[in-house]
Amino acid sequence: MTATYVLDGTQIRTLDDFWRVIGEAVNGPGGYFGRNLDAFADCLSGGFGTPDDGDYVVEWREHRVSRVHLGHPETARQLEIRLSRCHPLNRPSVGADLAAAREGRGTTVFDWLVRIFEERAPGVLRLG
């Protein structure tokens, strides 16, 4: 039987909200399912609360609400954090992404998450 994990998009206004909502959906209150993009990708690759046979789906309900909140302003906020912590050689690239996000251009946090779903667990994500 396919396990279904439901994300309430109305509860996702920041990337931190996403970590909390998906962690609780998969592993219950206070549950963990990644707290950064790399850890999230690893979690989607198996274990960490998903069925061992990989038979699961994630229903992201009200995803349009999340898409708005995880848009360019939240992306700029996340890129500011990344810029403050990244290796000096990566600063030009992150800075360019940050400038684009501040102008309302480029990929967003929402896009990053959807891409990770598609790359690490193809067919698992259902947007509703």
Side-chain angles (χ1 to χ4, degrees):
M1 186 162 128
T2 303
T4 301
Y5 305 109
V6 176
L7 309 181
D8 179 352
T10 66
Q11 300 300 310
I12 301 172
R13 298 181 176 282
T14 66
L15 186 55
D16 290 329
D17 289 342
F18 176 81
W19 302 139
R20 178 184 49 77
V21 169
I22 195 161
E24 291 179 355
V26 174
N27 292 308
Y32 174 85
F33 202 73
R35 287 206 172 78
N36 64 61
L37 298 172
D38 291 331
F40 173 58
D42 290 344
C43 288
L44 281 175
S45 297
F48 301 100
T50 61
D52 290 335
D53 63 5
D55 189 14
Y56 70 98
V57 296
V58 175
E59 286 185 16
W60 194 335
R61 296 180 183 164
E62 303 293 334
H63 78 278
R64 286 175 185 83
V65 174
S66 300
R67 182 187 297 267
V68 170
H69 290 290
L70 299 178
H72 290 107
E74 176 65 4
T75 304
R77 189 175 79 83
Q78 292 300 320
L79 289 169
E80 288 167 359
I81 293 167
R82 187 181 296 174
L83 185 63
S84 73
R85 297 177 181 166
C86 73
H87 189 278
L89 293 177
N90 293 333
R91 287 191 182 129
S93 173
V94 175
D97 290 345
L98 174 57
R102 286 177 173 159
E103 294 173 359
R105 297 182 296 109
T107 60
T108 64
V109 170
F110 184 86
D111 298 327
W112 300 344
L113 296 169
V114 170
R115 185 182 68 239
I116 291 169
F117 270 111
E118 291 170 351
E119 290 175 355
R120 290 297 183 105
V124 163
L125 181 62
R126 295 184 183 162
L127 299 174

